[in-house]
Structures are given as C-alpha cells and as structure tokens.
Amino acid sequence: IYNLQALPSSLLRTLPRICTLEPRAMSKKIPVTILTGFLGAGKTTLLNHLLTSDEHKMKFAVIENEFGEVGVDEKVLSVDKTDEQIIEVMNGCICCTVRGDLSKVLKKIHKKIEKFDGVIIETTGLADPAPVAQTFFVDDTVEKLYKLDGIITVVDAKHILPHLNEKKPDGVENEAVEQLAFADRVLLNKVDLVKDEKELEKVEKSIKAINATAPIFKCTNSVVHPKHLINIGSFDLSRTLEKDPEFLDTEAEHEHDTSVSSVSCKFEGELNHNKLQMWIGKLIQTKANDLYRYKGVLAVKGIVKKFVFQGVHMLFSGGFDTYKQRWKEGEKRECRFVFIGKNLDKKALKDGFMDCKAKDELRFKVGDLVEARCDKWLPGKIAALWDGGNPYRIELEGDHGECWGPIDDENFVRARTVAGKKRKSAE
C-alpha cells in the first residue's frame, strides 16, 4: 500500500494496492482508471471484491485515499499485513508503502507494474476528479508512461438525489454533480435498496441530465467485473475540455463546501460495542441527514475478531464477520473511527466515541449477587466477565437461564436488594 500525502487539491491520503484482471496486450502506456463517487457509494467495497477475487486473471495496481486524519480503509480492506513495508493481498498480489505525491509515486512504481493490465485510483468521496485527471496531462513523464483510460463514478442509488439537489453557496462545487459530470461510466450501486421502480427511474433520469453520454451499469454490493473498469478506452480529453475549459489549468481553484468536514479519533485499547451501537443509534435518530459517511475498525473487549462498522446517513451496519479479520498475537489493539458530514460537532463526536471505551474495572466480580434487567428485574449471580463482548454473563435464579449485561451501569445490572439493603456477594 502506498500512503500518499499532499496530493493535488482535495486529495489527502493515498494507498496503492497491487492486485490481479486476462492479461492486456503490451503497449507503451499503462491504462489508468480513476474511481470516484460520493461518500458511501461503495468504492472500497468494490476494491475489496477486486482484491479478494480469484476469478479474474488480470493484474493491476490500486491506489486508494481517504478524507480524514485517521485512516480506516487500510484497516477495512481485506489484506494480510506481513510487515511494516509489504502487504500481501489474499489473491497473491503485493503492495508497498511509501510517501509522496501522486506523480512521484506513479513514476516510482512504473518499473514494478509496467507489465500490469492497469492502475485504479480511488479518490476520496469529497474529491473533484479533475485535479487527479490533470496529473496525466500536465506532467510530461507521467504522460509518457501512463494513459488516462476512463473515469468511473460509483453512485449510491438510495442516497444520491439529496446530494445532487443540495444548494451550495455561490462559487462552491457540488462534488456529487462534478463526479457525475466527468464520468465515462457510471456504476449505479445499491439498486436493491430502492424498492420503487419509479424512484430508480428518477435517479437514472437525474444522472442522464448531468451526463447523457456515460453508460450506466446497475449493480448491488459493488459487484462488477474488472473488464468494465480497466482498459475501456473511454476518456476523451476534447470532450472533457468542452465540459470544463479550465480542466488543464493547474492554477484553477476548486472551492469546496466549508460546512462539510471530517472528524476522526483513535486510541489504544478496547471498547464496549454495545455502548457504541446505542450511541450511533441516537446519532442516526438526530443527525442522519448530516452524516454523509462514518466508518471504523474496533477492538472489542472480550472478542478476538475486529469489529467493523460503517454507515451512510440512516443506514448502519456493523459486525465481527464482515471481513473475517482477527487481531493477531502481538498486534496493537486499537479503535479508530472517521465521521464525514455537514456541520459536525467534533467535540461531541469525539467525547461520545471515547465514552464507549471499555472500563478498566467493572462494578461487580464473579460471584456477586445482582439483578438483571430483562423484561423485568430478575435476581441472579455474576457468572463471567467480558463474555462475548459483554461486561457480564449472569446466571439467573429459577428457570430463567442466563443473560448478558451489555453495559456496566444501573440501567442494566444493579446490586441485589435484600430486605431493603443491597447485597453484592453470596454468603
């Protein structure tokens, strides 16, 4: 993975991954595809399919970047890290880690990938693809080694319309519109989430109103064969200049909406995922429209697997089996998240995340007598600590079996009351 910093305009961090599509006929220039799309459209999911699939036989390098101070995608993408410098992808491809700007990295890796079928560059969801595309026309060396083959825009069929219709201040770009305007092909993703055919037709009509020439490929879970992404020969510079006469002007300013920002946080240690899901549930109820994208990779107390969560507006998913990654022996257990959205209260988000951190000491120990809140308060005894990611496993009295205490507070587990007094330990 190449971690790139200080990229043109809105590109913040980049990470290439080298992977394997049928081999291309050798030519002087390596074809490059720019993969763009608004936050949460499914770009990283698409890359995961490419990086883990054994069906295609092509070879390509993938360059990926994020918006935010704390990187998450390199933790989410399905790769096996073998050491600090080299990452081996599950289907045998290899990636290295360097720092620098995009043109420098493209020059540096050329010898390594000159027989590859192509390069895929994923931009951040808040990026205008134009500054990335400029690289292949304003840098003479890059232009000799690579050709810009096409710009692919991934679209979230469920959420794209509000972003396309959002009113921006004068002079401020609507990134979702720009991404579609420059598209040579459109991947209309998450079509399964749009149950109304008329609504889907409305989405397609809106896309065609912005870009009438780009073919639209409908998909679910970003499942698309790489042959639709690499070596498609779709980019047309003259057509692009018609849309944007300043396309090759490297001094042109691309002004972005300052109300959109990111907040990220990470800490060494573990958290209680039950508290996390309750906290995110409250955020979704009150701030869903402003939460464009959020994701994280977490170490959960009492669980060896990594907990991966991600969401777009009101759609949230999280679980331990998403990418089947486990914390390896000796690996630093840490938690990290990134929220991207509009008018974010950064302090409140950081405080809320830190409040989910697992306590060093619990209120009760094994053997303590407690009451657990099920349908009603039931008496029981603490049977285990941090079981299945829960602070307590409680053995209930009578025929009630066992239950978990998901959070260590009085709303879920409390000391047993006997004759007006609280008892903690069995006599």
Side-chain angles (χ1 to χ4, degrees):
I1 297 176
Y2 290 77
N3 289 318
L4 312 183
Q5 292 182 328
L7 290 183
S9 188
S10 55
L11 287 182
L12 299 179
R13 298 185 62 237
T14 352
L15 315 153
R17 263 157 270 255
I18 299 172
C19 197
T20 334
L21 323 155
E22 310 154 357
R24 70 176 172 98
M26 286 301 295
S27 65
K28 292 181 179 179
K29 295 185 179 184
I30 301 174
V32 176
T33 297
I34 295 175
L35 182 64
T36 186
F38 203 71
L39 298 160
K43 301 184 295 297
T44 299
T45 303
L46 173 59
L47 293 183
N48 250 313
H49 288 313
L50 299 181
L51 292 170
T52 57
S53 174
D54 290 320
E55 295 179 4
H56 58 72
K57 302 300 180 185
M58 300 172 73
K59 269 193 172 183
F60 56 92
V62 176
I63 301 176
E64 181 272 336
N65 73 273
E66 293 192 31
F67 182 87
E69 298 170 2
V70 177
V72 172
D73 282 355
E74 72 267 28
K75 293 286 187 179
V76 173
L77 285 164
S78 300
V79 294
D80 293 326
K81 191 167 184 179
T82 55
D83 59 43
E84 291 184 2
Q85 296 299 319
I86 298 176
I87 288 183
E88 183 176 345
V89 181
M90 295 171 70
N91 57 1
C93 304
I94 294 176
C95 319
C96 304
T97 302
V98 297
R99 296 186 181 276
D101 64 31
L102 180 58
S103 59
K104 287 181 180 177
V105 169
L106 288 169
K107 295 170 191 175
K108 186 180 182 70
I109 67 173
H110 181 263
K111 286 290 184 184
K112 189 178 185 70
I113 66 170
E114 60 183 343
K115 295 184 180 180
F116 279 28
D117 294 280
V119 177
I120 299 175
I121 300 176
E122 181 204 352
T123 71
T124 172
L126 289 174
D128 175 351
V132 188
Q134 283 177 353
T135 305
F136 300 92
F137 299 96
V138 300
D139 187 300
D140 292 339
T141 303
V142 171
E143 188 178 11
K144 289 177 182 177
L145 301 176
Y146 300 89
K147 68 171 183 176
L148 181 54
D149 187 57
I151 297 177
I152 311 289
T153 300
V154 186
V155 174
D156 180 345
K158 177 73 174 175
H159 297 107
I160 189 61
L161 289 181
H163 294 301
L164 294 179
N165 298 326
E166 185 179 357
K167 298 294 182 183
K168 297 283 188 178
D170 289 342
V172 173
E173 292 179 343
N174 183 321
E175 290 89 355
V177 173
E178 293 289 315
Q179 291 162 354
L180 277 172
F182 280 98
D184 296 304
R185 290 190 178 180
V186 175
L187 304 185
L188 186 55
N189 191 32
K190 306 184 184 181
V191 293
D192 56 314
L193 300 180
V194 183
K195 306 301 181 184
D196 187 345
E197 276 296 323
K198 290 184 178 180
E199 184 68 16
L200 193 58
E201 290 174 7
K202 187 177 178 182
V203 172
E204 291 187 69
K205 186 177 179 181
S206 296
I207 293 171
K208 289 176 180 177
I210 298 169
N211 188 331
T213 61
I216 298 175
F217 293 79
K218 296 179 184 177
C219 58
T220 298
N221 294 325
S222 300
V223 177
V224 179
H225 195 282
K227 68 183 180 182
H228 299 307
L229 307 175
I230 288 288
N231 221 5
I232 57 177
S234 294
F235 185 80
D236 186 331
L237 180 58
S238 59
R239 188 177 71 230
T240 301
L241 288 171
E242 286 178 12
K243 296 177 183 177
D244 182 5
E246 296 182 342
F247 173 71
L248 295 179
D249 182 2
T250 56
E251 302 300 320
E253 291 293 329
H254 296 265
E255 188 175 349
H256 296 275
D257 189 347
T258 55
S259 67
V260 177
S261 64
S262 73
V263 55
S264 49
C265 184
K266 73 174 180 179
F267 62 81
E268 284 189 41
E270 302 163 311
L271 55 65
N272 181 333
H273 73 101
N274 298 308
K275 290 191 76 171
L276 175 86
Q277 296 199 66
M278 290 180 65
W279 172 59
I280 289 182
K282 292 178 182 178
L283 281 178
I284 289 173
Q285 291 174 10
T286 58
K287 303 289 185 183
N289 289 337
D290 291 336
L291 293 175
Y292 293 169
R293 185 76 167 108
Y294 45 100
K295 52 189 173 180
V297 179
L298 315 169
V300 173
K301 185 80 169 177
I303 299 289
V304 296
K305 292 182 179 178
K306 296 179 180 181
F307 185 87
V308 178
F309 79 88
Q310 56 184 321
V312 179
H313 294 297
M314 292 195 72
L315 296 180
F316 167 79
S317 65
F320 295 102
D321 296 322
T322 309
Y323 296 104
K324 299 182 179 178
Q325 296 188 62
R326 302 170 74 90
W327 294 99
K328 299 180 177 62
E329 186 176 349
E331 183 180 2
K332 178 173 63 179
R333 290 174 68 93
E334 63 179 15
C335 301
R336 54 171 71 192
F337 83 80
V338 174
F339 280 84
I340 306 172
K342 193 168 186 176
N343 302 317
L344 298 179
D345 185 335
K346 296 187 177 184
K347 184 178 186 305
L349 287 170
K350 286 187 176 183
D351 289 347
F353 183 67
M354 294 301 293
D355 189 53
C356 298
K357 195 170 184 178
K359 294 181 178 180
D360 292 331
E361 288 189 25
L362 299 176
R363 292 176 300 145
F364 304 107
K365 61 181 185 295
V366 173
D368 283 352
L369 302 178
V370 297
E371 292 179 341
R373 187 176 184 178
C374 302
D375 293 331
K376 59 181 180 180
W377 288 101
L378 296 174
K381 180 172 66 174
I382 301 295
L385 305 180
W386 291 114
D387 184 76
N390 299 280
Y392 303 112
R393 177 161 56 85
I394 302 166
E395 182 182 318
L396 300 172
E397 293 184 358
D399 298 325
H400 296 293
E402 293 185 327
C403 73
W404 277 317
I407 298 175
D408 184 26
D409 69 29
E410 290 284 321
N411 293 314
F412 296 93
V413 184
R414 66 189 185 191
R416 177 95 65 91
T417 301
V418 179
K421 296 181 179 180
K422 288 188 176 181
R423 282 178 64 193
K424 286 184 67 174
S425 299
E427 295 293 335

